Amino acid sequence: MRLRTPTRRTAVATALAALAFSATGIPAAATATASEAASEAAAEAAAGRPGDIVDVAASAFHPLPGQPTDTKAWKIRYRSTTADGAPNTVSGTVIVPQDGRTGPRPLVTYAVGTVGMGDSCAPSNNLPYGTAMEANLIQQLTLRGWAVVVTDYEGLGTPGVHTYTVGPSAGRAVLDAARAAERLPEAGLGAGTPVGIMGYSQGGQAGSWAAELQGSYAPELKVKGTATGGVPADLMKVAEFNNGSYGSGLIFMAAAGQDAAFPELRLDSYLNPAGKTLVAGMKESCVAIDAIAGSFKRISDLTTRNPLEQPDWQARLNQSRLGRTAPAAPVLQYHALGDELIPYAVGRQLRSEWCTKGANVEWDTIWVGEHVSGVITHSVAAGNWLADRFADRPTHPNC
């Protein structure tokens, strides 16, 4: 029988314990230690294939503090690939329902939305305690009997600064998380497991990049479909839209993420003292603090000159723009008409570019609501769409 609604409540936990906002930079000694750790992690990642597990430890999955889920969970570190093609190590969490099922089950590789840039914000550090922001949405998937793997992305929970909004890195982390889950003996999955990709907001970008990369980067994965929403497909347009608004902190987080991936961009050389203080704090904090600290600021308030007007910055941001490659598997893409953070037109443009390239795309407009509510109100529909893909039911593209 087809599952239409989860059997447990689906309210999303709306708060994370945030770090105290730091107004100072990282001491030189700490920077050296972090650099050494990053070098060790790169050497470790180079020793195997993308998706190979570096280490594993027992973990737990709680949507809310102490809430039982009848699942087993493991924290993993696995090998992946940076935006520039270098090996790296990423952490994540594998969750498997304990429902008595002995045969194969689907796997969803789940890309979370923005949680912040500090290591304490990583999903793997919050899922065991019921403080992860999208844990209730993940539980909707495990209640269907699906395994779920949640990547922490590059630099979030592992050495280095989180490469926030760097699409190729995030997409590879999502795909390699699925590979790692299949290679984890305790999970009972294995090669040939049917895979779904899901994500919203930052996770929508990461999941969409995974969809575009899968055919060339991870063709062995049996991806049945990708459900992504609120996708920031064009970072330049998103930055222009948010400049000076209450979402302006996202611009500076994204700039710090791009600079982490591409140090030659030299973000610090563009920032004035207020900008340096803000960005240093963002690298150590979670989204609740970052959003407040960065809101209603214009780029000109925090810089001596606008880096987004420079050719090297434009070229790097353009590398994260989606729409150049048609996903090999079907896609459900959804976007709120009233999205106040990621323009609706940006989502529609991605849909148009994918359709032009022959992708199998089903587009849904969320007519009532805004950015944050969209991930909640459309979560069951997105899950039902993936259930149809796992069942090999016909798609309904509407290009």
Side-chain angles (χ1 to χ4, degrees):
M1 183 172 67
R2 188 180 181 193
L3 177 61
R4 275 293 169 194
T5 56
T7 57
R8 306 276 288 272
R9 65 192 179 92
T10 62
V12 174
T14 56
L16 276 174
L19 293 176
F21 183 78
S22 171
T24 60
I26 301 172
T31 302
T33 301
S35 176
E36 291 168 3
S39 297
E40 290 175 7
E44 183 179 73
R49 303 169 297 163
D52 280 355
I53 294 174
V54 175
D55 55 45
V56 57
S59 185
F61 170 52
H62 297 291
L64 294 171
Q67 182 182 358
T69 58
D70 295 324
T71 62
K72 283 189 176 180
W74 301 267
K75 180 172 181 176
I76 58 172
R77 289 193 307 137
Y78 61 94
R79 296 180 172 94
S80 191
T81 309
T82 69
D84 274 349
N88 65 355
T89 298
V90 178
S91 55
T93 304
V94 179
I95 307 164
V96 179
Q98 299 302 289
D99 52 10
R101 185 171 180 171
T102 57
R105 68 175 77 235
L107 168 69
V108 174
T109 181
Y110 191 96
V112 298
T114 302
V115 295
M117 299 185 73
D119 283 343
S120 70
C121 320
S124 66
N125 289 331
N126 289 280
L127 289 168
Y129 304 105
T131 52
M133 292 180 70
E134 295 181 48
N136 290 94
L137 304 182
I138 293 168
Q139 187 188 27
Q140 291 184 27
L141 308 178
T142 61
L143 288 171
R144 296 175 183 266
W146 302 344
V148 180
V149 61
V150 186
T151 181
D152 290 335
Y153 304 124
E154 181 182 4
L156 191 58
T158 46
V161 176
H162 174 35
T163 55
Y164 179 66
T165 72
V166 178
S169 167
R172 289 165 182 154
V174 169
L175 292 170
D176 288 327
R179 284 168 157 163
E182 290 186 352
R183 295 172 193 173
L184 179 66
E186 297 92 328
L189 298 172
T193 293
V195 174
I197 300 168
M198 180 177 279
Y200 188 90
S201 193
Q202 180 191 5
Q205 183 206 34
S208 296
W209 263 99
E212 288 198 2
L213 289 169
Q214 182 261 322
S216 59
Y217 182 75
E220 82 283 3
L221 290 177
K222 307 302 182 187
V223 173
K224 296 289 189 175
T226 297
T228 53
V231 181
D234 187 326
L235 296 179
M236 289 295 292
K237 289 181 179 178
V238 172
E240 180 182 354
F241 183 81
N242 283 283
N243 193 18
S245 77
Y246 76 91
S248 57
L250 298 173
I251 300 174
F252 299 98
M253 287 177 64
Q258 296 287 328
D259 185 68
F262 312 114
E264 71 276 8
L265 293 176
R266 300 176 61 245
L267 174 62
D268 203 54
S269 69
Y270 292 90
L271 298 174
N272 63 25
K276 291 176 181 179
T277 297
L278 176 69
V279 169
M282 285 179 163
K283 291 178 182 179
E284 301 299 317
S285 301
C286 297
V287 66
I289 296 296
D290 293 344
I292 295 169
S295 61
F296 300 108
K297 301 216 171 32
R298 299 194 64 81
I299 295 172
S300 58
D301 295 336
L302 300 172
T303 62
T304 55
R305 55 191 177 119
N306 187 348
L308 304 188
E309 294 175 352
Q310 309 306 313
D312 56 343
W313 274 87
Q314 292 172 358
R316 286 302 193 182
L317 290 172
N318 192 48
Q319 285 183 343
S320 287
R321 187 173 66 80
L322 287 154
R324 295 186 180 92
T325 302
V331 174
L332 170 67
Q333 189 195 350
Y334 49 101
H335 211 111
L337 182 64
D339 195 318
E340 79 289 10
L341 294 177
I342 312 299
Y344 180 74
V346 167
R348 282 194 61 90
Q349 180 63 30
L350 175 60
R351 177 253 192 131
S352 175
E353 291 176 349
W354 275 347
C355 287
T356 297
K357 292 174 174 61
N360 183 328
V361 180
E362 185 173 337
W363 166 265
D364 281 357
T365 295
I366 302 172
W367 296 104
V368 178
E370 34 63 63
H371 185 74
V372 174
S373 67
V375 67
I376 302 169
T377 60
H378 221 67
S379 60
V380 173
N384 287 336
W385 185 88
L386 277 179
D388 283 344
R389 305 291 74 76
F390 291 142
D392 293 321
R393 297 188 180 102
T395 58
H396 302 283
N398 56 4
C399 284

